[in-house]
């Protein structure tokens, strides 16, 4: 990392509470919320992130941009949502810049919910889940391609094929 990039590092604490309840069956973990997500106030808030369009297709349901509608959708489908990282030094939204990681505390989720599978939204989430969480949680994570707009290599159809495992796990 260059000196210019290093000077842009900010220590950010995760601003969102994990979303789950007792009947949640799968946990989807991102790495750390983007700037746009932090501004929006809920997971996958960047308008170009394909997470919400992907969920709409997977579950054949319209999902509005309203946070309450998105929360209800996830809980109704027994999906818990959080991130692998609770605090880190980061430049903007760049996963590649992440340093000085403090992992998220996933214990309350596993103590409360009936999580049967963990899906990691992208390589960074998967790496930090494996490093800090997999052993304690007792579940291997499943690495899925990132829905981030930075992952331009994957079209929505490609993501749909890979992410089909989420809906099939819940059916």
């Amino acid at each position: 990392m260059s000196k210019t990039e290093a000077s842009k590092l900010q220590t950010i604490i995760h601003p969102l509470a994990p979303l789950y309840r007792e009947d949640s069956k799968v946990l989807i973990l991102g790495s750390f919320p983007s700037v746009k997500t932090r501004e929006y106030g809920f997971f996958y808030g960047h308008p170009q992130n394909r997470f919400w369009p992907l969920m709409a297709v997977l579950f054949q349901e319209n999902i509005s941009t309203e946070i309450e509608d998105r929360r209800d959708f996830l809980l109704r489908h027994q999906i818990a949502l959080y991130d692998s990282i609770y605090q880190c030094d980061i430049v903007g939204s760049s996963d590649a810049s992440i340093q000085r990681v403090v992992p998220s505390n996933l214990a309350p989720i596993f103590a409360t919910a009936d999580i049967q599978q963990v899906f990691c939204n992208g390589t960074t989430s998967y790496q930090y889940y494996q490093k800090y969480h997999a052993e304690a949680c007792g579940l291997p994570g499943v690495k899925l391609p990132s829905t981030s707009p930075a992952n331009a290599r994957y079209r929505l159809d490609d993501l749909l094929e890979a992410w089909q495992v989420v809906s099939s796990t819940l059916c």
Side-chain angles (χ1 to χ4, degrees):
M1 178 177 293
S2 72
K3 284 186 180 184
T4 304
E5 290 171 318
S7 71
K8 295 179 183 175
L9 276 172
Q10 290 183 289
T11 300
I12 307 287
I13 295 172
H14 201 299
L16 306 173
L19 179 71
Y20 63 97
R21 65 182 186 197
E22 290 177 1
D23 67 340
S24 298
K25 301 270 187 247
V26 302
L27 172 60
I28 299 175
L29 291 173
S31 54
F32 193 75
S34 70
V35 171
K36 291 289 186 190
T37 291
R38 296 191 304 263
E39 290 170 359
Y40 175 65
F42 195 63
F43 299 94
Y44 304 105
H46 192 294
Q48 271 94 45
N49 192 300
R50 278 99 33 103
F51 181 83
W52 293 109
L54 183 62
M55 290 294 112
V57 174
L58 279 176
F59 291 93
Q60 300 175 3
E61 194 173 321
N62 290 325
I63 307 169
S64 83
T65 58
E66 297 297 317
I67 291 173
E68 271 312 304
D69 292 342
R70 290 178 170 188
R71 287 177 50 84
D72 291 346
F73 167 85
L74 293 165
L75 295 174
R76 193 168 10 92
H77 288 285
Q78 300 176 306
I79 298 171
L81 214 52
Y82 202 42
D83 293 302
S84 296
I85 300 169
Y86 174 71
Q87 178 182 313
C88 65
D89 291 351
I90 189 169
V91 176
S93 301
S94 170
D95 279 0
S97 73
I98 291 173
Q99 297 180 15
R100 295 180 4 133
V101 167
V102 175
S104 295
N105 179 7
L106 302 181
I109 299 171
F110 283 92
T112 303
D114 184 26
I115 302 298
Q116 298 170 6
Q117 186 62 63
V118 175
F119 295 102
C120 297
N121 189 348
T123 300
T124 303
S125 171
Y126 180 76
Q127 288 172 336
Y128 286 106
Y129 176 77
Q130 293 303 313
K131 182 174 183 174
Y132 294 113
H133 306 293
E135 188 176 329
C137 296
L139 288 173
V142 175
K143 180 173 70 167
L144 297 173
S146 174
T147 60
S148 167
N151 184 16
R153 212 172 61 139
Y154 280 82
R155 296 171 303 131
L156 186 60
D157 287 346
D158 300 323
L159 290 171
L160 184 60
E161 185 177 326
W163 279 73
Q164 195 75 40
V165 66
V166 175
S167 56
S168 63
T169 299
L170 291 165
C171 295

